[in-house]
Amino acid sequence: MAPYKMLHPLLFLSALIALSEQRSHTFRSPGPVERLLRLDQRLAGFEKRAKHTTHTKLAALFSDDARVKYPFDTPTATLRPTRYEIPLGGNVTLSCFVDGSDNWTILWYRAATYGSKDEPMTEYEGKKAINVSQGGIYHCRGRSDSGSITHQSNAAIIEDTLPITAILTLKPNWTKIYMGETFTVRCDIQGGEGTYWSYDWRPKRFTTYYTTNERTFYNVGWDDNGDYQCRGKTDLSFTQWSNVIPVTVSFKLHPVLTLSPSWLSPGASVTLNCEVEYPSEGWSFSWYKAVPYYKITEEPYTYELLPDGSKTAQSLYIITGQTSTAAYVCRAERGSNYYYTYYSDPKFVWSADASSAASLTVGPVVQNFGSDFVKLTCKGNSSSWRVRKFPENGRPYCSNFWLSGESVCTIDTTYSDDGVYWCESMLKEFSNAVNITLQDFYSGPLMVVPVDPVNEGTFVSLSCNLRRKKIFPNVAFYHNDKLVQNDSREELNFLAVSKSDEGFYKCQYSGKESPSRYMTVKSTVPPEIFSQNESSENSPLHPGSAAVYESANKNGRHWKWKLSVKPYSCFRLWWQSCSSYTL
């Protein structure tokens, strides 16, 4: 410590002047407080100098010009780069320089760990750039020819890579991860036992170092997709990055249920099979019976767990003693947090046997507005029914309504409504099922006649089709069950249809007969014979009187006409004058 007991008066005075003027200075390292202390210690060396010279030097210390060369300002060394990770077998070049002059001898220092002492690296003394391959915290200083030393440089944190590779594992080790599931990644470092490790993870969004070697992701979603890696870190060293495990998160799984047989036979059992992707990856299965739900606009069925049907290890479930139509679904689950898949679509096992509790009957083909319809009728104990069909093909088929009493569903055979039909009740009952193939419903051809009435005297052509496909020659046509044509002609033609041609028509092809259809003929022949009623034949017409006439045509059809005379009306042709009265 300097021999002076108090701060030198000149130095104290200069400091007071600077503070009183509240001047803002830009100092280079070291700071103003450190300068004051150092100057106080060295002031004995300046005592012999002229007072005005000392004052000038001190005033320059507080100059606004940051680039002023201070006689007592100690330079600082700069080290680059400030941080670097050395790959395995690699190195990095460190450069040290001092501003203002190149006439400095560079001194190098290294601390092996955080908090450890800097050790001089004498082998590199005097070199402005060095190559290093060891991790550590590096510093440098400059030393002048006179022996003065610069301030210590900034730190260069160099981390090296150890010849150890981390090993990443995925738990559970599933091929595919589904949305909502949970998985864990684990990082193990073989050969690093007994060392305290922290862990670095990829993808890049995981930037925090973790002190545990496991990370668990719950209820995963799209953000958890990525290529996962890890490495261990101890002080200033890293292991090599681990193997890559790609994680792809997929939509929630929808299992597929199949059953056999589809149609029940006496004494036969029914086998259900719930199929999922990668069935060996720890799945368990639950089995349910689907029962009709009264809010059909929301879900057509609710699900009731079958006996011993919860979390079975096998993907098969066998039902014995089933005698009536029924529907089933399944669901799969896996993992310690019990991830559940969606329910499967309902699958049905059908019975053709009707019961008094629920039955479906199929009516005969009926005609309405030129189209053929089939009526399905539900009967049984329940007061409300609906008719269902498989497959639905996007059409409701009466299934969106609960109908009270005897429910009737009408099928338009114009559309392709092939499928299995059955009834369901609000009492959770299923009727017998009926497999209807409308393509061959009639087991024969269709008679095609005009839908609207035809005008008498016009040309009309009738044909015989097999469901939208025209049948070629050798077709027999019948009118009111009487054969009218049976030859090579493809159609039954009427050049001028008459009223006598009205009636039922049907056709035969390959021994199969079509349903009968009715053709209506509308008469358009005007009256030809007129006769005045005897009571009015000789009566003159006068205002307010009337005459009755009769008319008939060649077909024998009769009409009566009544002619009234109204007063003060004028009826005439263009060449006639107006009379006092008109018809």
Side-chain angles (χ1 to χ4, degrees):
M1 184 69 183
Y4 294 94
K5 303 298 182 181
M6 59 183 297
L7 196 65
H8 194 279
L10 290 177
L11 181 60
F12 181 74
L13 179 62
S14 299
L16 287 179
I17 293 173
L19 294 174
S20 64
E21 294 177 352
Q22 296 184 353
R23 300 176 63 183
S24 177
H25 301 284
T26 302
F27 294 101
R28 289 169 25 177
S29 178
V33 176
E34 186 178 358
R35 287 197 186 100
L36 291 175
L37 295 176
R38 291 181 180 179
L39 287 173
D40 183 48
Q41 295 173 357
R42 299 179 183 179
L43 200 52
F46 301 122
E47 188 177 19
K48 298 179 180 180
R49 295 192 180 191
K51 292 186 177 179
H52 71 277
T53 304
T54 303
H55 184 271
T56 302
K57 301 297 184 179
L58 292 173
L61 180 65
F62 297 98
S63 170
D64 286 331
D65 186 359
R67 293 170 295 178
V68 171
K69 302 295 183 181
Y70 310 122
F72 317 118
D73 186 19
T74 303
T76 300
T78 302
L79 182 59
R80 294 288 184 271
T82 59
R83 194 175 195 100
Y84 188 80
E85 289 184 18
I86 302 176
L88 184 65
N91 58 66
V92 61
T93 299
L94 302 181
S95 299
C96 183
F97 57 92
V98 179
D99 286 339
S101 175
D102 292 333
N103 298 322
W104 295 90
T105 300
I106 303 301
L107 307 177
W108 294 91
Y109 304 88
R110 174 181 175 267
T113 62
Y114 287 104
S116 62
K117 182 181 177 181
D118 284 348
E119 298 293 340
M121 304 172 65
T122 57
E123 68 272 24
Y124 295 119
E125 183 175 327
K127 295 183 179 180
K128 293 182 172 57
I130 62 174
N131 290 327
V132 296
S133 58
Q134 276 186 302
I137 302 174
Y138 291 82
H139 295 90
C140 67
R141 292 175 183 268
R143 184 181 64 196
S144 68
D145 294 338
S146 62
S148 60
I149 303 296
T150 66
H151 293 294
Q152 181 175 269
S153 71
N154 57 289
I157 301 175
I158 306 302
E159 297 164 314
D160 59 6
T161 303
L162 301 174
I164 301 175
T165 301
I167 298 176
L168 183 68
T169 55
L170 177 69
K171 299 189 305 182
N173 189 20
W174 293 329
T175 306
K176 185 176 289 188
I177 306 294
Y178 297 98
M179 294 186 68
E181 285 194 297
T182 299
F183 70 89
T184 299
V185 286
R186 178 183 176 90
C187 192
D188 291 305
I189 302 174
Q190 294 183 351
E193 296 81 1
T195 302
Y196 178 80
W197 298 96
S198 60
Y199 297 88
D200 191 11
W201 301 89
R202 288 176 177 171
K204 287 294 186 182
R205 65 179 181 275
F206 308 133
T207 57
T208 305
Y209 292 105
Y210 288 83
T211 57
T212 176
N213 66 336
E214 288 188 350
R215 294 200 63 193
T216 300
F217 300 85
Y218 299 95
N219 194 25
V220 299
W222 297 121
D223 290 341
D224 299 307
N225 282 296
D227 292 333
Y228 285 74
Q229 282 183 289
C230 71
R231 65 178 177 178
K233 182 179 186 300
T234 176
D235 207 22
L236 294 171
S237 297
F238 288 103
T239 69
Q240 298 181 70
W241 282 103
S242 70
N243 53 302
V244 177
I245 296 182
V247 173
T248 302
V249 179
S250 303
F251 284 111
K252 195 170 183 178
L253 182 63
H254 203 141
V256 177
L257 177 65
T258 59
L259 53 80
S260 179
S262 297
W263 288 89
L264 288 172
S265 57
S269 60
V270 179
T271 301
L272 310 182
N273 183 16
C274 196
E275 299 176 358
V276 294
E277 290 183 299
Y278 313 109
S280 62
E281 295 185 351
W283 293 102
S284 61
F285 303 88
S286 295
W287 310 89
Y288 303 84
K289 184 175 183 179
V291 296
Y293 186 46
Y294 70 96
K295 291 183 179 180
I296 195 169
T297 56
E298 296 180 6
E299 291 290 340
Y301 300 99
T302 57
Y303 306 131
E304 297 178 353
L305 190 66
L306 290 170
D308 299 323
S310 177
K311 301 177 183 178
T312 64
Q314 300 296 322
S315 61
L316 298 177
Y317 187 90
I318 299 177
I319 299 172
T320 58
Q322 184 68 37
T323 58
S324 61
T325 298
Y328 300 97
V329 297
C330 72
R331 186 168 69 165
E333 59 195 76
R334 69 178 182 180
S336 58
N337 292 316
Y338 295 109
Y339 159 77
Y340 294 94
T341 66
Y342 289 112
Y343 288 98
S344 68
D345 292 332
K347 289 302 173 84
F348 297 87
V349 55
W350 293 294
S351 171
D353 296 334
S355 66
S356 59
S359 65
L360 171 66
T361 58
V362 181
V365 177
V366 295
Q367 289 188 331
N368 191 10
F369 301 105
S371 297
D372 296 317
F373 295 89
V374 176
K375 289 187 176 181
L376 307 180
T377 304
C378 298
K379 295 181 181 180
N381 296 335
S382 178
S383 60
S384 298
W385 296 89
R386 67 187 182 201
V387 178
R388 298 303 303 270
K389 171 186 174 292
F390 178 83
E392 290 192 2
N393 297 338
R395 294 169 59 84
Y397 305 106
C398 306
S399 61
N400 283 348
F401 304 96
W402 289 103
L403 301 178
S404 299
E406 185 180 281
S407 177
V408 177
C409 176
T410 302
I411 304 174
D412 185 352
T413 62
T414 305
Y415 300 98
S416 179
D417 286 351
D418 298 352
V420 179
Y421 292 79
W422 68 94
C423 301
E424 298 171 356
S425 75
M426 277 194 174
L427 298 179
K428 303 180 181 180
E429 296 169 321
F430 290 84
S431 73
N432 58 302
V434 178
N435 190 9
I436 297 177
T437 305
L438 296 176
Q439 179 71 24
D440 301 319
F441 187 81
Y442 300 115
S443 187
L446 295 175
M447 186 70 206
V448 180
V449 301
V451 176
D452 299 321
V454 298
N455 292 324
E456 188 176 16
T458 60
F459 174 80
V460 176
S461 179
L462 309 183
S463 62
C464 191
N465 289 1
L466 183 63
R467 301 296 299 166
R468 302 181 182 177
K469 181 179 180 181
K470 192 171 182 179
I471 296 176
F472 291 100
N474 301 320
V475 178
F477 292 92
Y478 292 83
H479 177 217
N480 294 330
D481 292 329
K482 182 180 179 180
L483 181 64
V484 294
Q485 180 177 298
N486 186 13
D487 53 29
S488 60
R489 287 176 290 177
E490 303 173 6
E491 298 171 334
L492 179 60
N493 297 324
F494 301 90
L495 297 178
V497 70
S498 65
K499 191 66 179 178
S500 61
D501 297 323
E502 190 174 68
F504 287 97
Y505 286 85
K506 64 182 179 180
C507 61
Q508 276 188 352
Y509 176 75
S510 296
K512 297 181 180 180
E513 188 175 279
S514 74
S516 296
R517 285 191 171 180
Y518 194 84
M519 182 178 71
T520 302
V521 180
K522 181 173 63 175
S523 178
T524 57
V525 180
E528 297 178 354
I529 304 173
F530 294 88
S531 63
Q532 185 179 4
N533 202 357
E534 292 183 357
S535 61
S536 60
E537 184 176 5
N538 298 319
S539 301
L541 294 175
H542 54 80
S545 64
V548 178
Y549 293 88
E550 292 183 356
S551 63
N553 64 8
K554 64 181 180 179
N555 294 327
R557 192 163 185 176
H558 293 265
W559 292 271
K560 283 189 177 183
W561 300 80
K562 183 176 181 180
L563 187 62
S564 300
V565 179
K566 298 180 180 180
Y568 312 114
S569 298
C570 181
F571 175 78
R572 65 184 178 88
L573 298 177
W574 65 273
W575 67 84
Q576 295 175 329
S577 61
C578 187
S579 59
S580 299
Y581 307 101
T582 185
L583 300 181

